[in-house]
Each structure stands twice: as C-alpha cells, then as structure tokens.
C-alpha cells in the first residue's frame, strides 16, 4: 500500500533562511506525489505535483520539490522563507485504485520568525 | 477559479443530535470527498462520491453517512453526534480523471458537547 511519512511535525526557520520539509514515500510502483499547503483557517491549496515527468518540480510561491527514487523522498524546499509561508504542509501520495484516493501525511507545521 | 463552499465555518452541537454538513462546488466536478482533519493524523477520508447518488466508503465511515442528490452538492450526515466526532471537516472535489488534483473548501470546525 502507498503511504507517506513526514519526518518533522514542526519546523522553525527565520525569515530569509532556507526551508526544508521532509517527506518519504512508500509505493510498490512509481507514485504520483503532491504537496498541499493549509494556511490558518483556510482550505488546502495545491503547492506542486509530481506525476512522473521532470523529477524537479516547481510550485507556487517559490517552492520546489525533487523526486528521488533511490531515496524514496520528495522533500519540499524554498531558498528564502517569508513570513507568509507560515502554514501547515501536507505531503500526499495517490493510491493506485480505481479512483483518485489521496493518502495524506500527518503534516508539518512551518513556523517563520522575523 | 474552482470554488468549493461549506455551509458553516463553525458549528456546535450536542451529543445525540443529527448533524448535516453541506458542501457545494461550482465547477461541474464528478468527484466529491469528505475528510476529517485531526492534529497529528493528517486528513482521513470518510466518504466519496463519483456521481450523483453514488457513494463509496473511505477509511473511517463509521458514524457517518452521505447524500448526493445533485452533482454540485455533497452532504455529510452525522446520524447521532458523539464527542469523538469533534473535528475539522473538509470537503473536496475533482474531475473524474486526469491529474487528480482535489480542490478543497475552507472547512467546518464541528464541536460536539
């Protein structure tokens, strides 16, 4: 069965420093992977997606993620954090069923300090 | 832009009450989903629907039912609310096939006392 593990429940960075949110996946075949972001009191928004095309995926707001099959990882990065990046981030894998079942990680809360 | 709306942002109900959570999407999507979100657990799928009057159980359907009488509307029903159903409920929709992106509503925070 497909699953994702988000290695950190909380990550704290200072504004202007790099962001790294870690995600490892488990899948018996080549997976499709997403990162979603949830700002306080808002619904989830798709940040970026990997669907077996380029392994380096660029998303909105300067985020990107690299699919590494050898490491079964899909870490989310951003070169320079902004205060508005403070949110909860979810790594998601798509299950290979007859419909679109998303399997969510437990989330990483990103805290950005001035 | 896709818009998914949920009838209430906050809801407080008493144990044993019947609770209806409504979700409406305006993009003619075939698929609609109900999740609950709890701290440290991420999102868990309760039910989904791929067509009018069609429904499938997700991972945690116990204590819930759903209704989809019209394509744009998907309702989650708690037949007899219990305190362990206190949670954030998120509705989502997507097209039938393709990139699998789901569009989410803002959520309903339900408290059962």
């Amino acid at each position: 069965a497909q699953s994702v593990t988000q290695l950190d429940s909380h990550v704290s960075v200072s504004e202007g420093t790099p962001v790294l949110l870690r995600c490892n996946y488990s899948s018996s075949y080549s997976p499709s992977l997403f990162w979603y972001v949830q700002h306080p009191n808002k619904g989830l928004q798709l940040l970026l997606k990997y669907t077996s095309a380029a392994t380096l995926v660029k998303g909105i707001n300067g985020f990107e993620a690299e699919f590494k099959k050898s490491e079964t990882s899909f870490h989310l990065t951003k070169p320079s954090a902004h205060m508005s990046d403070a949110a909860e981030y979810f790594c998601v894998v798509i299950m290979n069923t007859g419909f679109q079942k998303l399997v969510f990680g437990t989330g990483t809360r990103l805290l950005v300090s001035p | 832009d896709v818009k998914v709306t949920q009838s209430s942002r906050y809801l407080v109900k008493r144990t044993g009450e019947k609770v209806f959570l409504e979700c409406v999407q305006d993009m003619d999507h075939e698929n609609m989903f109900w999740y609950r979100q709890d701290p440290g657990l991420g999102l868990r799928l309760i039910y989904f629907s791929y067509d009018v009057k069609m429904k499938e159980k997700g991972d945690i359907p116990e204590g819930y039912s759903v209704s989809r009488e019209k394509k744009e509307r998907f309702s989650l029903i708690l037949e007899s609310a219990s305190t362990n159903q206190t949670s954030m409920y998120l509705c989502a929709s997507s097209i039938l096939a393709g990139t699998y992106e789901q569009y989410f509503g803002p959520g309903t925070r339900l408290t059962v006392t």
Side-chain angles (χ1 to χ4, degrees), chain A residues 32 34 36 38 41-46 49 51 88 90 94 99-107, chain B residues 9-10 31 33 35 37 40-43 48 59 90 94-97 99-102 104-106:
Chain A
S32 292
F34 295 162
Y36 274 87
Q38 184 180 32
N41 300 315
K42 297 279 183 68
L44 275 75
Q45 179 185 18
L46 184 66
K49 57 189 175 188
T51 55
E88 188 151 24
F90 293 94
I94 298 171
F99 73 99
Q100 310 161 14
K101 182 173 180 181
L102 305 186
V103 178
F104 285 78
T106 53
Chain B
R9 293 300 304 274
Y10 300 94
N31 298 328
F33 306 83
Y35 295 89
Q37 180 181 10
L41 297 178
L43 274 72
F48 70 96
D59 298 318
L90 293 167
S94 71
I95 60 173
L96 189 60
T99 59
Y100 304 113
E101 177 178 355
Q102 292 185 13
F104 284 82

Side-chain angles (χ1 to χ4, degrees), chain B residues 70-110:
Chain B
K70 293 185 177 182
K71 190 175 184 180
E72 68 272 17
R73 188 178 296 270
F74 192 35
S75 302
L76 180 69
I77 304 156
L78 288 66
E79 295 289 344
S80 177
S82 64
T83 55
N84 63 12
Q85 293 179 309
T86 291
S87 186
M88 172 71 86
Y89 290 88
L90 293 167
C91 175
S93 72
S94 71
I95 60 173
L96 189 60
T99 59
Y100 304 113
E101 177 178 355
Q102 292 185 13
Y103 297 85
F104 284 82
T108 296
R109 185 166 295 281
L110 173 67

Side-chain angles (χ1 to χ4, degrees), chain A residues 2-113:
Chain A
Q2 291 77 22
S3 66
V4 288
T5 301
Q6 293 185 244
L7 298 164
D8 307 292
S9 59
H10 292 80
V11 169
S12 294
V13 300
S14 298
E15 192 174 21
T17 64
V19 175
L20 170 64
L21 305 183
R22 298 183 294 166
C23 173
N24 286 105
Y25 70 89
S26 172
S27 178
S28 55
Y29 59 94
S30 185
S32 292
L33 295 157
F34 295 162
W35 276 98
Y36 274 87
V37 60
Q38 184 180 32
H39 287 93
N41 300 315
K42 297 279 183 68
L44 275 75
Q45 179 185 18
L46 184 66
L47 207 52
L48 50 80
K49 57 189 175 188
Y50 167 76
T51 55
S52 75
T55 56
L56 182 62
V57 182
K58 294 189 183 298
I60 61 172
N61 300 332
F63 283 93
E64 62 183 36
E66 187 171 9
F67 175 74
K68 292 187 176 180
K69 187 175 181 179
S70 60
E71 299 176 10
T72 62
S73 69
F74 190 57
H75 301 335
L76 182 69
T77 61
K78 183 174 180 177
S80 177
H82 192 272
M83 295 295 291
S84 61
D85 294 328
E88 188 151 24
Y89 293 79
F90 293 94
C91 184
V92 181
V93 66
I94 298 171
M95 281 195 68
N96 187 27
T97 62
F99 73 99
Q100 310 161 14
K101 182 173 180 181
L102 305 186
V103 178
F104 285 78
T106 53
T108 298
R109 184 166 296 279
L110 177 65
L111 307 169
V112 183
S113 56

